[in-house]
Amino acid sequence: MNLQENVSLKPFNSFGISANARFFARFASQEELAEILENRQQFLSGKAGANNMLVLGGGSNILLTGDMHGLVLKNEIKGIRELHEDNEYVYVQAGAGENWHAFVQYCISRNWAGLENLSLIPGNVGASPMQNIGAYGVELEDLFWDLEAWHIGDKALVTFTHQDCAFGYRESVFKRKYRGQFVILRVTFRLRKHPRFNTGYGAIQAELEKAGVKEVTIRAVSDAVIRIRQSKLPDPSQLGNAGSFFKNPSVSVSQYEALAQIHPGLTAYANADGTMKLAAGWLIEHCGPVPGISWKGFRRGDAGCHEKQALVLVNYGSASGSDIYSLSEDILQSVKEKFGVELEREVNIVGS
Ligand code: FAD
Ligand code: EPU
């Protein structure tokens, strides 16, 4: 069993927060995972807070607010397999420990379409259904077929269909009802053999034109998305962050209209269910620690709000998880006071 003690988690979280794991184990197969879980009582028993356990992928959507006194399980299950195909689709299974962007590029190189708008999202395949990752008009659930997950308590392999996952905007059954109960091992995607491009999202069309693309291809869309993302989102290897810190909040049309009347310029999009999704980045940019100062570009110690994207909180070097959390709390309160809208954190807060 691959078990280490007192391991620094700094290299394993994209915020670059310093925190330690009392126990840290890597697993590359279902059998290795089952063995670690089977034996965990031996080394966890009697330790303070020993019950807490964190399954870690790429660490790009967590904020560590303290040391992990229990066990951190690093998912390293690899492998990409084409399961079968029909006239329209190819069904591709990927291990939870595969890097997401590398998997997307693998599919693009085989001309399998659908994932191109989700290019360059950090993290691993295993977290993608948990988060129902999304970008540029596409969500993971649009390509999802099924997944296999290990039930920690029952010691059993369970298959989840699309319906079982109860996907929503950055939501799934794994984030709510089954939180902490399953380890996702493999995910199967249904990809198109004949692409249907999704280039309606604002900047993609403009980026394709700028690049002089005459004939749209899967690769061209992926490249456009990559360029747009690089122009506004900080690279975690240069500046610690976990992408959007909050979700974009939804409000009723009447609440939106009332707000838009007082705040012309308020950015919002219509949801399919008739509600309006407000751009949280806009709300945050138009609030601040004191009147006249915006959160956007604001820095307190080493915790900050990104200068190009107010929805992204950043670690300039040695911010603690509590520093970032406390900044997020102040932002949340100021948005609530000014707009009467309560933001919800999108990043998973992992405490000791
Ligand atoms: P981790 O951070 O390791 O884990 C996230 C959560 O999932 C944790 O609660 C963890 O316990 C759980 N988990 C992880 N793996 C498993 C598993 N195998 N089984 C069970 N639970 C598991 N997200 C978007 O949706 N769209 C974006 O456009 C986007 N852009 C980003 C840009 C940047 C610069 C950054 C840093 C992040 C961005 N994100 C975005 C957020 C992040 O990339 C995604 O949420 C990603 O899916 C997280 O993957 P991960 O492997 O790093 O998960
Ligand atoms: N905006 C501002 N000020 C800002 C930032 C944004 O006014 O500082 C306004 C702009 O008007 C802009 C609008 O907000 O047009 C939307 O901004 P952007 O296109 O950058 O997208 P977002 O809503 O801020 C969401 C996702 C991203 C995803 C992009 C692209 C959430 C919480 N975030 O961001 O996902 O990449 O759309 O689809 O839904 C993530 O989840 O970590 C993430 C980065």
Side-chain angles (χ1 to χ4, degrees), residues 324-339:
I324 304 277
Y325 188 85
S326 134
L327 177 62
S328 78
E329 190 58 30
D330 290 350
I331 290 173
L332 197 148
Q333 289 305 332
S334 71
V335 168
K336 196 169 160 186
E337 269 167 39
K338 182 162 180 182
F339 300 107

Side-chain angles (χ1 to χ4, degrees), residues 48-309:
N51 285 335
N52 70 48
M53 199 162 74
L54 171 70
V55 182
L56 195 59
S60 64
N61 207 30
I62 55 168
L63 178 68
L64 294 162
T65 56
D67 289 335
M68 287 292 302
H69 298 299
L71 171 65
V72 173
L73 282 168
K74 179 93 175 80
N75 192 328
E76 295 187 341
I77 296 181
K78 293 280 168 42
I80 302 176
R81 281 196 308 147
E82 183 185 337
L83 297 183
H84 59 98
E85 60 183 285
D86 53 32
N87 287 341
E88 290 288 319
Y89 301 105
V90 52
Y91 297 76
V92 189
Q93 187 182 68
E98 289 287 344
N99 174 271
W100 175 260
H101 181 62
F103 171 62
V104 171
Q105 292 306 306
Y106 176 94
C107 295
I108 292 171
S109 70
R110 274 152 189 79
N111 250 345
W112 298 335
L115 296 173
E116 53 279 4
N117 292 45
L118 302 177
S119 295
L120 209 63
I121 296 181
N124 292 351
V125 165
S128 65
M130 157 130 184
Q131 304 294 135
N132 188 19
I133 55 171
Y136 301 99
V138 174
E139 285 184 310
L140 175 114
E141 65 163 308
D142 303 331
L143 295 317
F144 177 89
W145 184 247
D146 67 13
L147 66 77
E148 290 173 356
W150 185 254
H151 190 282
I152 297 170
D154 292 350
K155 303 176 190 171
L157 192 65
V158 181
T159 299
F160 285 78
T161 63
H162 191 290
Q163 201 183 353
D164 297 333
C165 291
F167 288 119
Y169 166 55
R170 298 293 194 279
E171 280 295 345
S172 74
V173 79
F174 302 103
K175 265 187 118 167
R176 301 274 169 191
K177 187 172 161 198
Y178 294 144
R179 186 164 198 101
Q181 293 186 35
F182 284 93
V183 180
I184 296 166
L185 304 178
R186 285 171 285 275
V187 185
T188 301
F189 300 85
R190 189 179 73 161
L191 305 178
R192 286 190 179 278
K193 292 164 90 172
H194 313 289
R196 276 195 202 161
F197 297 111
N198 194 330
T199 56
Y201 198 96
I204 298 184
Q205 200 60 47
E207 190 61 42
L208 289 169
E209 279 165 28
K210 205 165 101 188
V213 172
K214 299 267 182 303
E215 195 194 334
V216 179
T217 60
I218 309 172
R219 170 75 58 204
V221 173
S222 170
D223 288 346
V225 167
I226 290 171
R227 282 195 299 273
I228 298 165
R229 295 181 66 92
Q230 284 172 335
S231 73
K232 55 173 142 182
L233 288 167
D235 176 352
S237 70
Q238 310 294 319
L239 186 60
N241 76 94
S244 302
F245 199 87
F246 301 98
K247 290 184 182 182
N248 286 324
S250 286
V251 297
S252 65
V253 172
S254 56
Q255 193 180 354
Y256 162 71
E257 284 172 352
L259 279 171
Q261 212 162 28
I262 314 170
H263 307 284
L266 174 72
T267 309
Y269 311 91
N271 285 321
D273 66 0
T275 58
M276 296 295 287
K277 192 178 269 181
L278 306 180
W282 190 94
L283 298 173
I284 296 169
E285 181 175 347
H286 291 83
C287 277
V290 288
I293 296 198
S294 168
W295 286 120
K296 194 169 181 173
F298 177 82
R299 177 172 177 171
R300 186 163 69 200
D302 269 355
C305 183
H306 190 48
E307 57 189 13
K308 290 188 192 159
Q309 231 297 1

Side-chain angles (χ1 to χ4, degrees), residues 25 129 212 316 318 332:
Y316 285 99
S318 57
L332 197 148

